[in-house]
Each structure stands twice: as structure tokens, then as C-alpha cells.
Amino acid sequence: MLDQAPLLNGVTRSRRTADYALITPDTFVPTPLPGWTDATAVVHIAPEIGARFTHYTAEMAAGSVSGGPGAGVSRFAFVAEGAVAFEDSPPGGPAGQTLGTGEYFFLPPAEDRRFTAGQQGAKLIVFEKPYVPSGEGPASAVIGRAGDAPGEAFQGDADLLLQTLLPAEPAFDMAVNLFTYQPGARLPQVEVHVMEHGLIMLQGEGVYRLGDDWHPVQAGDIIWMASYCPQWFVAMGKQPAKYLYYKDVHRDRLTEKPGFAGREA
């Protein structure tokens, strides 16, 4: 594992530029979650940094109840620790259905539902964005388990396993994926593309190229990549590296308003 820099020396691996940010756990600052009870969050990525989405980690005490994501906003949440139960009927299940560690859900704006943390509390990785409608009809709610998501060799490389957690359908304007690298595996190219990313390292370590810089990264680190930020990753160490990441998809950029507001009405 990489050594964390001692705070007394004023040193950190965290870095922010116009095109990317690397945010490491030694710099996390918790804040209350408006509309939630007995919950705090570390807001890693938000419009203030230049992003068109929000990425935060929610810490829910036992019995904590969620708040809503805001009008017109869809929410993806991955249960990193503990469990949550829906107060009303979730998609495909009865009210009170519980989701445990490694399970996740996506709720479009019309399907907003409250959920409550179990007796051990819960830790959630959350991505939210204003939903941009398409001509394909609204996105549907989704509940899944990461272990059930089929994996495929990325560009034919068996050492790169990509799991797609949301349907790759035009109704969905966000994608959330799990990417697992065997030690020494690397992306086959430096990528430069219109989608922006929010990413959390779940296990392992490696080196990430961001823009013109190379950064050592490890489990717990957060990365924001703006549109067209050059990016590349190689896994290092003795165990696989895995990260969960978000990107915006399936929308015509010329028919959307600039910035965070979505498309014209």
C-alpha cells in the first residue's frame, strides 16, 4: 500500500486542476446531508469543481432515513457497507426490501423512494445528475447485485474485466461500471473523450495518468476527470485493482444546455 503523507507536514497526494482532481482520504471533510436524518457525507465531486454531476459517500447511522435527490435528479447508490431497506415498494420487490453490501439501485426522478439504514448503519457510494429526457421514454428503476453483473474482457484482454451495472439503453443518460485489473494490466490506450468521469478506487493500487500528470492511487482515492481529459491506468502491486466509475452517455450534446441544467424544455 502507498504511504499516506503526514498531515503535520502539510503534504497530501490530493491535487486539483481545471481538467481533473485526485482527492485522497486524508483530505476528506464530512458535512451534514440536507433532508437526511442522522447522516453525513463527504461530497467528493460537485458542480463547484466544474462537474455536471455529484458524487458523494453517505454515512448513515442505524435507523437513518434518506432524503430526496432534488427535483429532476436521478440517483445511483452502491451499498459499500451495511444495509438499507426501502420504506415503500422498490422496483421488483415489496416495501421493506433490504439491500446489503455489494448491492445497488438506480432511481430516476419519477421513482424517488426513501430508504432506512439497518442496525449496523450503512455506507453508500452515490452518483446523482439531472436527468436529461430522450425520445426513448424515461429510464426505469433498477436494483442489482454487483456479483451478478456479467463481466466481459475489455477489448479482448482477459486481465481487464468490465461489469456494466446499468442497462446500455438510450433511456439511460448515465452509466456506472465496475472495472477490475489483474496486477500489471493496463488500459490499451490513452483515452480522450467527451464523457466525464467520477471514480472511486475500491481495492488495490496503481498509477493513473490524468492530463499530463501521473499519480499513484490506491483504495479509497477519488478521481474526477473532465470531458477530454487524457486518461490511462495501470494496476500495480500484488492484488487486483478495482474501481467503480460513472460517465454520462446517450445524449446529443448540441441539444443540451451548457453546464448543469440539461436540455431545453
Side-chain angles (χ1 to χ4, degrees):
M1 297 292 291
L2 303 170
D3 292 331
Q4 292 287 350
L7 292 179
L8 284 177
N9 293 340
V11 177
T12 178
R13 289 185 295 111
S14 289
R15 172 93 184 275
R16 178 189 172 182
T17 75
D19 295 326
Y20 74 84
L22 169 64
I23 307 171
T24 59
D26 57 294
T27 59
F28 289 176
V29 178
T31 185
L33 267 173
W36 299 50
T37 63
D38 297 322
T40 60
V42 177
V43 181
H44 307 298
I45 301 169
E48 287 82 352
I49 206 171
R52 301 184 297 273
F53 69 100
T54 300
H55 172 197
Y56 60 92
T57 300
E59 297 270 4
M60 303 178 71
S64 170
V65 180
S66 70
V73 175
S74 55
R75 169 183 284 165
F76 175 95
F78 183 91
V79 183
E81 297 176 12
V84 296
F86 286 96
E87 294 187 343
D88 52 3
S89 297
Q97 179 178 349
T98 298
L99 300 183
T101 302
E103 296 184 291
Y104 62 89
F105 62 87
F106 168 82
L107 296 175
E111 297 283 349
D112 178 34
R113 293 180 172 88
R114 300 297 186 270
F115 49 90
T116 302
Q119 294 183 353
Q120 304 302 316
K123 181 178 180 179
L124 304 179
I125 300 166
V126 183
F127 298 103
E128 295 175 349
K129 75 177 294 291
Y131 180 69
V132 180
S134 73
E136 304 294 328
S140 58
V142 175
I143 285 182
R145 178 181 291 108
D148 295 338
E152 61 180 51
F154 184 69
Q155 295 192 14
D157 188 341
D159 288 335
L160 301 174
L161 184 68
L162 183 66
Q163 295 171 273
T164 302
L165 303 187
L166 294 179
E169 300 173 357
F172 288 82
D173 66 345
M174 75 160 71
V176 182
N177 303 328
L178 279 168
F179 212 161
T180 304
Y181 296 67
Q182 294 304 309
R186 60 188 183 274
L187 281 176
Q189 68 183 89
V190 176
E191 296 184 355
V192 179
H193 50 60
V194 69
M195 296 87 72
E196 67 173 336
H197 285 319
L199 180 156
I200 178 169
M201 292 288 298
L202 298 179
Q203 71 176 48
E205 59 187 282
V207 173
Y208 228 112
R209 175 181 172 167
L210 299 166
D212 293 328
D213 305 315
W214 282 259
H215 294 277
V217 295
Q218 65 184 22
D221 289 350
I222 304 292
I223 300 175
W224 168 64
M225 289 170 265
S227 298
Y228 296 105
C229 175
Q231 55 198 255
W232 178 85
F233 178 70
V234 58
M236 303 181 72
K238 296 184 178 180
Q239 66 170 319
K242 178 185 290 188
Y243 54 72
L244 179 75
Y245 72 103
Y246 155 96
K247 64 180 177 179
D248 49 318
V249 293
H250 296 148
R251 294 298 180 266
D252 180 354
R253 309 293 168 157
L254 292 178
T255 58
E256 296 180 26
K257 290 181 180 178
F260 194 59
R263 79 169 51 204
E264 294 280 352

